[in-house]
Amino acid sequence: MVKIKLKLFESIVGAEELFLPDSVVSVGERAFAGMQDMTDILYLPFNINYIGPEAFYSTEVGELQLPDNLQVVHTGAFTGAVVKVLYIPQSVERIEDGAFENFYGNSAVYYGSQEEWENCVSIGENNEALTNLAFTFEGQPAEIGGMLTETIS
């Protein structure tokens, strides 16, 4: 069992891809804060069950797949982050206040239905930057934030 400690990858610039080993189960506070110009994908292992406060504060990445075992997105985890496409698994049950405050992104994919997103995921305050993204739900089109979304086939 490996835990990524406080500020381990903070302020890395220009990486194309970053793969973390499957043994990682926890991402600590500010672990990736300020990582800039990551043009491709940050791969988080499926068994990560904790992402600490400000873990991705002001991080820039092309795509980010949240881990399949993640249940809570903690306060400030993605504050100020820039992520072109964010993938959210069905395991997420709660998004705490300000987890996505001042977040910038183009779209989000939720691996469940719109009904599950609306009824099973508790979203705290100051997360409008997330809820206003163009969403895609697995298997069905939906309208969120005033934008018609696409369907995953």
Side-chain angles (χ1 to χ4, degrees), residues 24-127:
V24 175
V25 296
S26 175
V27 175
E29 184 176 347
R30 296 186 64 89
F32 295 93
M35 188 166 48
Q36 302 293 306
D37 300 323
M38 187 166 194
T39 57
D40 204 358
I41 299 174
L42 174 58
Y43 296 94
L44 298 177
F46 70 93
N47 55 348
I48 288 178
N49 57 25
Y50 177 80
I51 295 178
E54 298 184 349
F56 294 92
Y57 178 84
S58 292
T59 296
E60 292 179 13
V61 61
E63 295 184 18
L64 178 61
Q65 168 81 45
L66 296 181
D68 288 340
N69 286 336
L70 187 66
Q71 293 180 326
V72 178
V73 180
H74 291 280
T75 299
F78 295 94
T79 296
V82 178
V83 179
K84 290 180 184 173
V85 182
L86 177 67
Y87 298 92
I88 305 169
Q90 269 184 300
S91 61
V92 172
E93 297 172 354
R94 188 173 80 236
I95 298 173
E96 293 184 345
D97 292 348
F100 288 90
E101 191 169 6
N102 298 319
F103 174 85
Y104 300 95
N106 294 336
S107 62
V109 175
Y110 176 69
Y111 291 109
S113 68
Q114 182 176 2
E115 182 179 354
E116 290 169 323
W117 174 256
E118 292 172 351
N119 296 320
C120 300
V121 180
S122 171
I123 302 175
E125 295 182 12
N126 299 320
N127 287 305

